[in-house]
Amino acid sequence: MQMTEFKPKIVAFCCNWCSYAGADLAGNNRLNYPAEVKIIRVPCSCRVNPMFILRAFQRGADGVILCGCHPGDCHYTSGNYYTRRRMALLFSMLNFLGIEKERTRVEWVSAAEGAKFAATMNDFVAQITALGENKRLEDLRCKK
Amino acid sequence: MRKCSTANLDALLRTIAENASLYLPVDGTDGRAHFTKWEDGVKMSDALNTVRSAKDFFFPQTENLMDFKVEGKTIEIIDTREECEDFVIFGVRACDVRSFDILDRVFLVDPVDTYYKNRREHGIIVSMACTRPSETCFCRTFGIDAANPGGDIVCYKEEDAWYFDALTEKGQALLSKLESLTEECDTAAVDAQKDLIRERMDKLPLADLTADAFGGDKLNTYFNAPEWKSLSQSCLGCGTCTFVCPTCQCYDIKDFKTNKGVQRFRCWDSCMYSDFTKMAHGNNRTSQLERFRQRFMHKLVYFPANNEGIFGCVGCGRCLSRCPISMNIVKVMKELGGNA
Amino acid sequence: MQKVTREILLAKAAELLAAGTVNRVLGWKAGEFTYDVTPALFTTAAELEKDFVYGPFSGANFSKYLVKETRRDEGKVLVFLKPCDTYSFNQLLTEHRFDRERVYAVGIPCDGMADIQRIKDQAGDGVSGVECDGDNLIVHTLYDGDKTLAMADCLAERCVNCKSKKHVAYDELIGETGDVIDSHRFDEVEKLEKMTEDERFAFWQNELSRCIRCNACRDVCPACTCEKCVFGNPNSGVENKAISDSFEEKMFHVIRAFHVAGRCTDCGECSRVCPQNIPLHLLNRKFIRDIDNFYDEYQAGAEVGQRAPLVNYKQEDLEPSEAVERSGNNA
Amino acid sequence: MNTEALIPVVGVITDIRIDTPDIKTFRVVTPDGKKAFDHKPGQCAMLSIPGVGEAMFSITSSPTNTEYMEFSIKKCGCVTEWLHAAEVGQQITIRGPYGNPFPVDDAFAGKNMLFIAGGVGLAPLRSVINYVRHYRDRYGKVDIVYGSRSKDDLLDYDEILHEWMTDDGIDVHLTIDREQEGWDGHVGFVPNYVKELGFDTDKVAVLCGPPIMIKFTLAGLQELGFDKTQVYTTLELRMKCGIGKCGRCNVGSKYVCKDGPVFRCDELDELPDEY
């Protein structure tokens, strides 16, 4: 029996100053990463509040990844340090509620790391594909 | 009057559940009773009452009203109403049964709320007398007899048997399906239980509470009463009392954007919330005192003014045990009515 | 340790009112039954004499009321603070939520407060009165006569797992202050951490599904003092008055706990007021425990002016991925 | 199951008129070009944009207009902002009519009429005024006092100038709050202007405007000798259902959506001061 292949929906929040440019670089260098990744540009990774992550899942994301500047390299000096603490606590809490820990990730990708961006996305998409559809943080109304 | 031996009760419930969804109070993992769908092995709770009232069956906390499909400038309205299935609520107490009459006076008056009506028509209520009323009970204040609850069928639980009596045609029809599991009996046991219940009701701490000081004509007596200030002082403005209340029926209508369209749903709302009456250019109740007053004035004055003196409270006592700061309608009545 | 009684508090309140130190008293008002005590303002000694009570049901944390009270420009208000309340008091001061000058705080020792639900679980429904008798409670019931229960078996969860008998703020102390306790408050969290993801999911699904979104947990919380809550703001996109989908249960409770993470003093009011008996404190304690484990030990409200962990960082902080790994193996 | 009061019908905006900087008048018909439903002067309709929200508006056009309905809407909340950004051809939803109308065929019949409006408060009165103009012989003399912040904020100015003012037996008294270039009419607030004009009490007065204007105008009318039973007004409160069930517009034992929005001023005295 032929199963329809599961194509996950991935939301990637990318910092304007680094990983968004990293994504650009990946494109310029013709490095492939899956089309399932939907990039949302943010001015700094710390612009992403926990609600954004949850809302992405509500609206149908199967995985959410947040990309920012490497610690120490924040365009605004310290934004990504706060991101790091917030997401550490949030992801830990989501896992505490029984949400698969593989569904969320934070990755530091600089503007020069086009290759890392593509590799990260490929890896994350593969991970979510293996994990399957997001059932535990879904909103059924959005799936109708 | 029909009698079913306690040993046969499971079989009786099974027979009911064959034709309709059957709900009854069941102890949850939190140790409290909640209306739960019956299936084999489910044991009915001994608790006096459920945490949430039975109003949910007819007026659920949220329900979808309609869907919209929006494309460009055009809108398509999709009526999502469906004929609801028959269901039976078993073990409803006298107070909650009365609450349906109160809700009927809101939802079934013209223009009829068809969502509510649909459920009401398909629901059968099996009520149950209260042999162990609690200290928070004051249904008698509103003329409710815990020994004689309404509904379609009334039941009385004794050690060895359950007694059933049909009160409506709907109830008669259901009871006749249970004939093989029940036998005709006299009313001696039930009469004895009724006497016991009334005797116990007499002794309840709130047995003497009356609502005589309230009614539709008492607006000016109470609206500007100075007592509202101290009564509402520590109110948190949460919605607990409203949401556990069997007669609170205010609702909100909201839109939810799904990924493909718009769902318009309604959900319970609370007059205790600060944004209840807020509109684009103002709010006519800006203080918690006003909101607090609205809730109690509505139950004790405004509702009776429009409904031949019937109060909008059934004395179930849920707000007495659930309010985070232990402020409730009994304290309000005593403070205002002066019959402490 | 000196046992606090109604008489002692009454005398103190009357003394401070008479001296003009304060012009009103935030206290507990007697209800219909012994257990339905309401927070109330008293302005005269006569009012106090009539209705003021103090006993095993005087559990409400008054700190949050100070936000509203000190905005009314009417001199000082007297507030009685149990040790756990003093942490909320400090936390609110740290966040500049009320005017310290308008408060006269009297610290009172506390041996733990009773939970009427636990009493009813043991004595049955129909509790017409409760009396203290040394370490026991005598419970008058409607149908089964008097029952004697050990106070220790009737304590609220937050008191069983009391974190501190130490007062961290007061103008005056009645009796003596105690010590921070090496409590077992994280045991339940740990138990959940040791479960599998599936078990945890089932656990929370069951607990949170009872939520009726009455917002009592939010409205009572001394750390939730936003003028406009994100869940009550129509422009936030997440405003909602009811749970229309089980997603919203999780969103509301995760965000509620997250918004007070690093500021929650673990006073336990959220669980006390929940009409559906959801163990909300476990979410807050999870954050506290993670903060302690990931960063430095931190007790919100221990001192005024502390920098909360979520508005702080260290260059060598752990990565979110490590955090998730570690939180499962906290023990 | 067939009818349900909460389920609307689709309406199409066929014309948008810019009246003032923050008020537009929308013409609405059903997709097949008909009037969505009949109404009486003073009644309201619930308009909504799925996903934005639903809100109650008074129907500005007269019932004697059998082709379409008009709504004069001031931009002040999310629904109205959305409507102000809408274009002709946009569909919305509409349900109604709601509330009690003005008693145009009984209490008003044969009477001299005095209409007093402030700002967008003219919207509900326009329906009555045009009804009265249509059945001119059923009513006596008509006076209209209308004021707004400035000349630019006067609603339906063209209709007032070219239709109302040219009608026989209708006196229109306009006023604006502050002096303005190009305005040679009266300057001052409505309540004072009403007192200055000094009307005879042989009339029924109909009032609509901001609460503060209603309050002072009513006091002014009473000074002139008017009894509260001669004065009508229309209220506005937050509404969700429009059919007296959701509880939002409950004031005292009345529901403004169902028992109002039109009240005689002596009836208001029986309500608690909460509107």
Side-chain angles (χ1 to χ4, degrees), chain B residues 56-100:
Chain B
D56 302 42
F57 287 104
F58 304 113
F59 176 47
Q61 182 154 18
T62 74
E63 73 182 307
N64 195 9
L65 296 177
M66 68 203 87
D67 287 346
F68 297 101
K69 235 186 223 155
V70 183
E71 263 169 49
K73 286 179 177 175
T74 65
I75 296 169
E76 188 192 339
I77 301 170
I78 302 155
D79 188 344
T80 52
R81 286 177 297 171
E82 279 171 14
E83 195 77 12
C84 114
E85 287 175 6
D86 285 342
F87 63 95
V88 176
I89 337 174
F90 192 95
V92 185
R93 300 294 183 175
C95 47
D96 282 6
V97 175
R98 169 69 73 85
S99 79
F100 304 146

Side-chain angles (χ1 to χ4, degrees), chain B residues 192-209:
Chain B
Q193 190 187 88
K194 284 182 182 174
D195 288 342
L196 174 78
I197 291 172
R198 286 179 186 137
E199 192 186 308
R200 288 184 163 176
M201 295 303 291
D202 285 341
K203 289 185 192 149
L204 289 183
L206 299 176
D208 297 330
L209 182 72

Side-chain angles (χ1 to χ4, degrees), chain B residues 1-4 162-165 175 179 182-185:
Chain B
M1 177 131 320
R2 312 276 307 176
K3 173 178 170 180
C4 168
W162 291 64
Y163 297 83
F164 297 91
D165 202 5
L175 209 49
E179 250 164 31
T182 58
E183 53 181 293
E184 196 64 31
C185 66

Side-chain angles (χ1 to χ4, degrees), chain C residues 157-176:
Chain C
E157 189 282 336
R158 57 177 173 166
C159 301
V160 174
N161 292 313
C162 178
K163 64 180 181 291
S164 172
K165 300 277 187 207
K166 181 183 168 190
H167 295 81
V168 292
Y170 53 83
D171 292 306
E172 184 179 336
L173 198 60
I174 289 180
E176 285 161 30

Side-chain angles (χ1 to χ4, degrees), chain D residues 86-157:
Chain D
E87 294 167 2
V88 168
Q90 174 67 47
Q91 293 195 341
I92 57 172
T93 76
I94 178 166
R95 60 188 173 98
Y98 295 121
N100 284 320
F102 286 102
V104 279
D105 296 324
D106 28 81
F108 289 4
K111 297 274 167 49
N112 294 331
M113 300 297 301
L114 167 60
F115 296 98
I116 306 169
V120 76
L122 187 68
L125 297 198
R126 184 172 162 241
S127 173
V128 203
I129 292 170
N130 283 334
Y131 184 88
V132 167
R133 285 178 58 234
H134 189 264
Y135 297 108
R136 195 62 198 87
D137 51 337
R138 296 186 194 169
Y139 304 91
K141 184 175 183 321
V142 173
D143 282 287
I144 300 167
V145 183
Y146 179 42
S148 68
R149 282 172 302 187
S150 72
K151 180 170 168 274
D152 306 322
D153 289 302
L154 287 167
L155 195 57
D156 303 315
Y157 195 41

Side-chain angles (χ1 to χ4, degrees), chain A residues 84-85 92 95 108 136 140, chain C residues 198 245 290 309 317 319:
Chain A
R84 195 165 58 176
R85 282 204 169 189
S92 172
N95 190 237
W108 313 119
R136 296 188 171 175
L140 286 173
Chain C
D198 293 351
D245 187 280
D290 277 352
D317 278 344
E319 290 296 321

Side-chain angles (χ1 to χ4, degrees), chain B residues 73 75 81 106 109 111 114 219 249-252 255 264 269 276 278 281 284-285 294 298 302 306, chain D residues 2-4 6 48 51 87-88 91 236-238 240-241 245-246 248 250 252-253 255 270 272 274:
Chain B
K73 286 179 177 175
I75 296 169
R81 286 177 297 171
V106 175
V109 295
T114 56
L219 170 71
Q249 104 309 310
C250 289
Y251 62 81
D252 195 358
D255 287 356
R264 178 161 293 170
D269 202 348
F276 184 65
K278 194 173 168 217
H281 57 268
N284 54 324
R285 285 188 206 107
Q294 168 68 16
H298 187 264
Y302 308 156
N306 291 327
Chain D
N2 36 42
T3 55
E4 164 56 53
L6 296 175
S48 96
E87 294 167 2
V88 168
Q91 293 195 341
E236 182 193 19
L237 283 183
R238 175 99 168 159
K240 280 285 180 181
C241 70
K245 301 192 196 296
C246 79
R248 215 159 289 262
N250 174 234
S253 55
Y255 289 84
E270 288 161 26
E274 257 188 345

Side-chain angles (χ1 to χ4, degrees), chain B residues 245-296:
Chain B
C245 179
T247 67
C248 271
Q249 104 309 310
C250 289
Y251 62 81
D252 195 358
I253 298 176
K254 298 179 91 59
D255 287 356
F256 179 82
K257 283 186 191 163
T258 66
N259 288 357
K260 294 200 179 92
V262 174
Q263 222 175 57
R264 178 161 293 170
F265 66 100
R266 79 160 147 208
C267 59
W268 296 352
D269 202 348
S270 172
C271 55
M272 290 290 199
Y273 287 164
S274 58
D275 59 354
F276 184 65
T277 50
K278 194 173 168 217
M279 44 181 181
H281 57 268
N283 190 344
N284 54 324
R285 285 188 206 107
T286 48
S287 70
Q288 196 57 31
L289 184 151
E290 293 165 295
R291 299 189 277 267
F292 181 93
R293 175 173 62 191
Q294 168 68 16
R295 179 162 189 273
F296 295 104

